[in-house]
Amino acid sequence: MIAPSILSADFARLADELEAVEGSDWVHVDVMDAHFVPNLTLGLPVVEALLKVTDIPMDCHLMIDDPDRWAVGYAEAGAYNVTVHAEAAADPVKIARDLRAAGAKAGLSIKPGTPLDPWVPALKHYDTLLVMSVEPGFGGQSFMADVLGKVRTARRLVDTGHLNVLVEIDGGINSDTIELAAEAGVDCFVAGSAVYNADDPAKAITALRDRAARAKEGA
């Protein structure tokens, strides 16, 4: 699965930029509040507007303080998957239940320096694990390969039936790094500049998907 990140899109032409990635599995929307992370992007009103102009399932990644208060609004608006950060959640199990009750898939994200093991019990209530392969807050950063150990652990837990989550990765994914991530066991790849900086975003998505599939076959 490929989820283009509109953080790398032209914010003045977001409807057109969504149309350019029609072949994607999800569209990834980074919500940043300038508190949990140092950057400020967009919020619920923009997400509500985007949901009116695309049928691509929307994957909302909330890099915000107090997701316990704000996350459900994105689910109620119609986001397909809503991801909160483990480091910001006061009650991650309750958030997961509330998101699911509101009709969305529930995702839990961990930053590069956050260990996976303490969050495994909470992840039993989630649909998606988002492993950050850059520090959250800004696009265009370099891929941090040392997070792939957490991906491999999560893959084992899924394959052995201890977890039932889709394993997603976000940060520095391009035509080179996607193979490493695929071999480690990632299911869904968030790609920003690798898609939106390409001459043909649709072709870039297809190429990334093909590279990931080949890497998984050889893993």
Side-chain angles (χ1 to χ4, degrees), residues 161-176:
H162 291 85
L163 286 179
N164 184 25
V165 293
L166 179 146
V167 181
E168 185 177 11
I169 196 162
D170 182 5
I173 294 297
N174 55 41
S175 58
D176 296 322

Side-chain angles (χ1 to χ4, degrees), residues 36 64-71 84-96 108 119 122 126:
F36 180 70
I64 63 173
D65 282 341
D66 199 11
D68 304 69
R69 176 181 179 185
W70 300 110
V84 301
H85 265 268
E87 303 88 357
D91 190 341
V93 172
K94 183 178 185 300
I95 293 178
L108 190 69
W119 298 102
Y126 279 82

Side-chain angles (χ1 to χ4, degrees), residues 20 26 55 105 121 133 139 142 146 166 192 208 215:
W26 291 355
D55 293 326
K105 301 289 186 182
S133 44
S142 297
D146 55 354
L166 179 146
L208 287 169

Side-chain angles (χ1 to χ4, degrees), residues 128-142:
T128 307
L129 165 65
L130 175 57
V131 177
M132 293 299 298
S133 44
V134 298
E135 289 296 335
F138 293 92
Q141 298 180 64
S142 297

Side-chain angles (χ1 to χ4, degrees), residues 1 6 9 18-19 33 64 98 127 133 144 158 163 207 214 218-219:
M1 295 174 61
I6 64 167
L18 288 177
E19 187 176 346
D33 64 357
I64 63 173
D98 290 347
D127 304 290
S133 44
M144 300 170 68
V158 172
L163 286 179
R214 288 196 299 269

Side-chain angles (χ1 to χ4, degrees), residues 2 31 46 76 94 117 132 136 147 153 171 174 176 190 204:
I2 305 296
V31 176
V46 175
E76 291 174 341
K94 183 178 185 300
D117 289 352
M132 293 299 298
V147 306
T153 298
N174 55 41
D176 296 322
V190 177

